[in-house]
Amino acid sequence: MNINDQTYLQEAQKVRKNPTKEPVPKSLISTNKHIFSPSSPVTQYKPYQTASKPASAIKPYQANNYNQPGFKPSGNRGPSAVNRGLKGSAIFNNQNHGPNQPQCASCFQIIRGPFISAVGKIWCPNHFVCANQSCAMSLIEVGFVEENGKLYCENDYANFFAPKCNKCHSTILAECCYALDKTYHPECFVCVHCKQIIGSGKFHIEDGMVYCERDYIGLFSVKCAGCEFPIEAGDKFLEAVNDKWHVECFICSKCNVPLSGGFAVKGNKPYCKKHAY
């Protein structure tokens, strides 16, 4: 209270005690009105308004949603065109004692003497060699790959046929992961955030980086302002109060009545008409 206010109160008390009830001097009559100034801003009320029409099939990451990676034996002619034999997997048979005569997978002739069996097929011993004529080494003691009926030692296959991993850039001799029109070792195709192998699961791309579905949803998905769970593909949602909501989550903050017919905003929260004012 300032000095003028103190003087005003003292003179006013004298007037109340004045038995003659003389009029109060005009100089003591305040013409200023007291204005209430709260310490914090008064809550702003927005006019009663209608929420956006419910939309369906929101797909917050549809553009980044990719199919599951494909896994095939290394090679570019389909999963049935390539078979890999590990070192020592080929079996040399001195003589056929069964009722059926084996047929060579290379020359297609009946084998009446020793033969070699590997990757489910049978060869004449002199035909179980690398198809690269400049190599032509026997494959009985080495690893080999069969592609479209022809046999290659691992070295020649790696040099002339095997795909390269898009990440480590080394040759893929075993199982190959096909994703984003590129080839990877399965252990090289991983989530950039958690470093876990994507495997046969779904994945997403953000700024050129690969994310597993769990991390992508946690980091980039659109979340409902009501329940704070992601708005997933196929969920119906609406936009209101500068945010997105599941249709069933957009309710009055006081009485939980659905606000599909309209709402008002108080304290940046939606309210029904009854509780808005």
Side-chain angles (χ1 to χ4, degrees), residues 109-127:
Q109 299 297 314
I110 298 297
I111 303 175
R112 303 187 184 279
F115 64 93
I116 295 174
S117 58
V119 293
K121 296 182 180 181
I122 294 174
W123 284 269
C124 298
N126 59 324
H127 290 157

Side-chain angles (χ1 to χ4, degrees), residues 120-254:
K121 296 182 180 181
I122 294 174
W123 284 269
C124 298
N126 59 324
H127 290 157
F128 193 67
V129 296
C130 180
N132 180 10
Q133 295 182 359
S134 62
C135 174
M137 68 180 300
S138 174
L139 304 177
I140 189 67
E141 296 294 339
V142 298
F144 61 93
V145 177
E146 181 206 10
E147 182 177 55
N148 290 341
K150 293 185 178 182
L151 296 170
Y152 299 91
C153 65
E154 283 187 341
N155 288 336
D156 284 343
Y157 180 78
N159 291 330
F160 299 109
F161 299 101
K164 303 290 184 181
C165 176
N166 188 64
K167 182 177 181 180
C168 70
H169 306 294
S170 62
T171 302
I172 304 174
L173 293 177
E175 190 176 42
C176 180
C177 172
Y178 292 83
L180 306 174
D181 296 325
K182 297 179 176 66
T183 54
Y184 300 84
H185 291 107
E187 61 273 17
C188 290
F189 193 65
V190 299
C191 172
V192 69
H193 185 72
C194 68
K195 309 303 181 185
Q196 295 296 312
I197 296 175
I198 299 296
S200 59
K202 292 182 179 180
F203 65 95
H204 307 270
I205 301 297
E206 185 69 26
D207 293 332
M209 300 295 183
V210 176
Y211 292 85
C212 65
E213 188 169 34
R214 182 188 64 183
D215 285 337
Y216 185 85
I217 290 175
L219 295 171
F220 304 106
S221 65
V222 178
K223 294 183 179 179
C224 171
C227 67
E228 297 184 354
F229 281 95
I231 299 177
E232 298 180 349
D235 291 349
K236 289 188 176 181
F237 76 103
L238 54 82
E239 296 183 2
V241 200
N242 298 321
D243 225 323
K244 292 182 174 65
W245 311 69
H246 289 113
V247 171
E248 61 272 17
C249 294
F250 191 61
I251 57 178
C252 175
S253 299
K254 178 70 175 180

Side-chain angles (χ1 to χ4, degrees), residues 8-47:
Y8 176 83
L9 291 176
Q10 292 174 358
E11 294 297 331
Q13 289 176 354
K14 291 179 181 180
V15 171
R16 293 191 188 96
K17 296 178 181 179
N18 185 1
T20 58
K21 298 182 180 180
E22 296 179 356
V24 179
K26 292 183 179 181
S27 61
L28 297 180
I29 299 176
S30 176
T31 58
N32 296 326
K33 295 182 179 180
H34 293 281
I35 301 175
F36 174 69
S37 299
S39 58
S40 59
V42 178
T43 300
Q44 297 295 321
Y45 292 85
K46 294 186 178 180

